[in-house]
Amino acid sequence: MNKENLNLIINLRHELHANPELSMNETGTKRRLMDFIEHNTKLAVVDCGKWFYASRYVEGTKGIAFRADMDALPMDESIKIPYASKIPNVSHKCGHDGHCAVLCGLALELENIPPEKSVYLIFQHAEETGHGARECSNLLRERSISEIYAFHNWSGWPEKSIVVREGLCQCSSAGLTIKFIGKTSHASEPEKGLNPAKIIAELILGIEKNYKDKKILCTVINIKLGEKNFGISPGEGEVSLTLRAEREENMRLFRNAVVNMAERLARENSMSVECSGYDYFPETLSDIECVKKIKNAAKNLSLKIINMPEAIRASEDFGFYTKQIHGAIFYIGNGENYPAIHSAEYDFNDEILETGVEIFKGILVNLL
């Protein structure tokens, strides 16, 4: 990248970082990104409501797409940086500000790449909740897109290294809330009520006892039971879990087993139960041939290539795209001792912005 374009996307990244927005509410972020592309490039920009795409259409060609995600996390900014988040309890602690800046960098670079193939840049909402890609993926068929690529920044790997894996890259997951409904009573007479505390504990311990395979994981993320009132034995309680498995079908089987366990416990204790699902993610798979193109781009840039030995447990909704067409996700190392994503100390590493743009550009040029 030339220095002027690099400075443009660094400044853009800082602006996005200072003005973060949560999933399904990325209106200001979307507007900033659309304005940037309309002001600095000749690409067509199409507003799709909660998301948008920029494109350069070439008649008679199959399209190639690149995706960035726009949403931030419900976390306070706790580090002192000049472009710190202005929004209480919202910050870019996953690096989506950097992902968007990289895709805008590719938009700038397209001005110097011959128009031999249709190119689509997808700026997607709501990755953190799994809603965004499910909606955006309809574009793939509508515009005859044949391949799609994305990247994620990742800490623990050498700075600017390119990390890839053929096949399974990130696991499937889903949120599940189980609500037990019993009967309230006076705290001095718990036998006259139906307090869900015991069966919530039994459910958690039962899952822990019966599912010890590291490929299947349950994380308790919230428990709600009554109020801090010492005279009342509560009659309702709920537990929220994140269920995770390598493959979508295994995660569904796991969910069904947990729901069946909850229903049995409720039945045995004369209670009713309600189950609600949230934040569904399929597994993310990378196509072998697409991974080869990423490796070729990295090799041409003399970047360190790391073959990831096993899939990342964390989910990524890019899997909704690769369920439809060929595609691949890769990872750019932030640094071996760099703060982890989703941690209070994290901020996207500006040193890898150019790396992301150059890999995307290398993939595209290789396909022309």
Side-chain angles (χ1 to χ4, degrees), residues 140-190:
L140 305 179
R141 300 296 181 194
E142 290 170 8
R143 307 304 299 173
S144 298
I145 296 168
S146 59
E147 292 182 26
I148 186 166
Y149 296 86
F151 88 96
H152 208 298
N153 72 100
W154 212 269
S155 303
W157 287 314
E159 187 178 73
K160 299 184 182 180
S161 61
I162 304 303
V163 185
V164 292
R165 191 172 197 266
E166 296 173 356
L168 181 68
C169 292
Q170 295 189 236
C171 295
S172 174
S173 70
L176 175 65
T177 293
I178 299 170
K179 182 178 182 180
F180 294 101
I181 304 165
K183 182 182 176 183
T184 304
S185 69
H186 195 283
S188 67
E189 299 178 312

Side-chain angles (χ1 to χ4, degrees), residues 44-292:
V45 176
V46 180
D47 189 338
C48 300
K50 293 187 180 300
W51 60 285
F52 78 98
Y53 67 91
S55 67
R56 184 173 71 183
Y57 178 70
V58 178
E59 185 73 37
T61 67
K62 289 275 189 181
I64 177 173
F66 299 88
R67 184 220 69 170
D69 32 20
M70 301 187 288
D71 50 337
L73 289 168
M75 295 175 64
D76 273 324
E77 184 83 84
S78 58
I79 53 176
K80 295 187 183 301
I81 48 178
Y83 47 87
S85 171
K86 300 174 185 175
I87 313 300
N89 199 37
V90 183
S91 58
H92 273 293
K93 293 297 181 181
C94 197
H96 295 183
D97 51 344
H99 299 172
C100 286
V102 165
L103 204 53
C104 284
L106 180 60
L108 297 174
E109 294 295 302
L110 279 174
E111 300 297 300
N112 300 313
I113 298 175
E116 297 177 15
K117 194 176 188 72
S118 296
V119 180
Y120 296 86
L121 310 182
I122 299 171
F123 290 85
Q124 178 208 304
H125 61 304
E127 188 280 327
E128 294 292 346
T129 61
H131 289 94
R134 196 194 306 249
E135 296 177 23
C136 300
S137 62
N138 293 328
L139 180 72
L140 305 179
R141 300 296 181 194
E142 290 170 8
R143 307 304 299 173
S144 298
I145 296 168
S146 59
E147 292 182 26
I148 186 166
Y149 296 86
F151 88 96
H152 208 298
N153 72 100
W154 212 269
S155 303
W157 287 314
E159 187 178 73
K160 299 184 182 180
S161 61
I162 304 303
V163 185
V164 292
R165 191 172 197 266
E166 296 173 356
L168 181 68
C169 292
Q170 295 189 236
C171 295
S172 174
S173 70
L176 175 65
T177 293
I178 299 170
K179 182 178 182 180
F180 294 101
I181 304 165
K183 182 182 176 183
T184 304
S185 69
H186 195 283
S188 67
E189 299 178 312
E191 71 279 4
K192 292 184 178 179
L194 295 170
N195 186 331
K198 182 171 175 283
I199 61 173
I200 289 175
E202 285 182 13
L203 177 67
I204 294 169
L205 293 173
I207 296 170
E208 185 178 309
K209 178 182 177 181
N210 292 307
Y211 298 96
K212 294 183 177 179
D213 188 335
K214 71 173 185 177
K215 295 179 181 179
I216 295 176
L217 179 68
C218 173
T219 304
V220 179
I221 57 106
N222 183 254
I223 298 174
K224 245 175 107 175
L225 182 73
E227 303 294 335
K228 201 170 183 179
N229 187 318
F230 296 96
I232 297 174
S233 176
E236 290 188 1
E238 66 178 42
V239 57
S240 292
L241 314 164
T242 300
L243 307 179
R244 201 176 301 277
E246 284 192 343
R247 297 284 180 166
E248 198 173 1
E249 57 266 30
N250 294 331
M251 191 268 296
R252 285 175 176 161
L253 289 172
F254 185 27
R255 183 189 188 280
N256 290 341
V258 171
V259 168
N260 289 340
M261 191 186 303
E263 289 175 344
R264 175 182 59 78
L265 287 168
R267 192 166 54 248
E268 290 173 355
N269 289 273
S270 303
M271 297 187 199
S272 58
V273 63
E274 297 173 357
C275 298
S276 306
Y278 306 88
D279 296 7
Y280 185 89
F281 292 82
E283 71 269 20
T284 295
L285 300 170
S286 284
D287 176 77
I288 293 174
E289 293 303 316
C290 293
V291 170
K292 286 180 182 176

Side-chain angles (χ1 to χ4, degrees), residues 345-362:
E345 299 78 19
Y346 171 85
D347 177 39
F348 186 90
N349 184 356
D350 285 338
E351 294 297 320
I352 70 170
L353 284 171
E354 185 174 15
T355 308
V357 175
E358 292 298 330
I359 291 290
F360 276 166
K361 189 168 72 171

